[in-house]
Amino acid sequence: MDAPDLPSLEVVRGAFNRFTGALPIDLITSCPRLRILDLGCNSLSSSISDINFCPSHDNASKVYPLEELLLPNDQFSGSIPLSLANCSQLVILNLSFNKLTGSILGELSRLLNLERLSLWQNELTRTIPAELGNIPRLKNLVLNNNCLSGGIPSGISGCKNMEWINLNNNQLSGEIPTTLGQMQKLTLFLLGNNSLIGSIPPELENCSQLL
């Protein structure tokens, strides 16, 4: 399904309705000024992999203005599309409570303005990419209730503005990295129901705001 051209549209807020069907695969390119897309808590059910959110462009100066992509609690399936990594102005990305599969893309580290990444309650697998530590403004990382495995990457300590991390209810293993003590703004750090081992690093005492 193609979207009509709406060159002046900037905000779509339609959460908490009963919308069904698929999102147009060319929605963002058809709405070149779109900043906010909020359609969470509906019954939209297309494969999110088919949606070309911010397609790559020959013009290096081309910037998509999309700042907030809020599609939680729908029925989207498929894997996280690579085109999201081109949405360079994204501040909030929330795809929680859907049926997403596959891995979390390391390419999301290109979203240098991203502050909130919420992917909880999906069926995501494999490891948490260490590249997420290269997102300088990231404050909230919410990945609980998936099937993520491997260790907690020490690289996420690069997120010096991190405030919340929720990794509850996954299949994570290994020890808690000592480098996480470098995130001095961290207030919430949830690790319940995993397979972690070892002791709690004393370096976490450096996180003076940790609850």
Side-chain angles (χ1 to χ4, degrees):
M1 180 177 64
D2 294 333
D5 289 334
L6 298 169
S8 299
L9 185 65
E10 295 188 11
V11 177
V12 175
R13 293 198 184 274
F16 296 98
N17 280 289
R18 298 179 181 177
F19 297 133
T20 60
L23 282 182
I25 61 175
D26 60 345
L27 179 62
I28 305 303
T29 54
S30 298
C31 306
R33 294 188 181 180
L34 189 64
R35 296 184 298 104
I36 299 173
L37 179 60
D38 180 2
L39 290 172
C41 301
N42 284 286
S43 296
L44 300 170
S45 58
S46 60
S47 172
I48 205 166
S49 312
D50 296 335
I51 303 172
N52 203 0
F53 283 100
C54 298
S56 56
H57 201 278
D58 293 337
N59 183 358
S61 63
K62 172 70 174 178
V63 175
Y64 297 96
L66 188 65
E67 298 173 1
E68 299 182 16
L69 181 59
L70 307 170
L71 300 175
N73 203 9
D74 278 297
Q75 298 179 26
F76 290 108
S77 60
S79 57
I80 299 172
L82 182 59
S83 62
L84 280 176
N86 299 322
C87 301
S88 60
Q89 301 305 301
L90 264 183
V91 176
I92 302 175
L93 175 57
N94 189 346
L95 303 177
S96 300
F97 219 100
N98 282 287
K99 301 176 182 178
L100 304 185
T101 56
S103 60
I104 299 172
L105 301 175
E107 287 84 354
L108 294 180
S109 63
R110 300 191 332 229
L111 302 176
L112 301 183
N113 293 300
L114 192 65
E115 295 182 5
R116 301 178 188 175
L117 177 58
S118 297
L119 301 172
W120 67 280
Q121 195 66 51
N122 280 289
E123 300 171 17
L124 297 171
T125 57
R126 302 183 185 177
T127 60
I128 300 170
E131 294 93 330
L132 296 183
N134 297 326
I135 306 177
R137 298 184 181 181
L138 191 61
K139 296 180 179 180
N140 299 165
L141 180 62
V142 186
L143 305 177
N144 54 293
N145 294 78
N146 280 288
C147 301
L148 299 171
S149 59
I152 300 171
S154 60
I156 63 172
S157 62
C159 299
K160 305 303 183 186
N161 290 303
M162 188 75 79
E163 297 175 356
W164 293 1
I165 298 178
N166 190 344
L167 303 177
N168 280 347
N169 301 310
N170 278 289
Q171 300 170 14
L172 300 173
S173 58
E175 299 185 354
I176 300 173
T178 59
T179 54
L180 299 189
Q182 299 172 16
M183 295 188 292
Q184 298 185 8
K185 295 183 180 180
L186 192 64
T187 59
L188 187 68
F189 187 31
L190 302 177
L191 299 173
N193 199 24
N194 282 285
S195 299
L196 299 170
I197 60 172
S199 59
I200 298 175
E203 287 82 359
L204 289 180
E205 294 181 0
N206 297 326
C207 304
S208 58
Q209 301 183 54
L210 193 61
L211 298 177

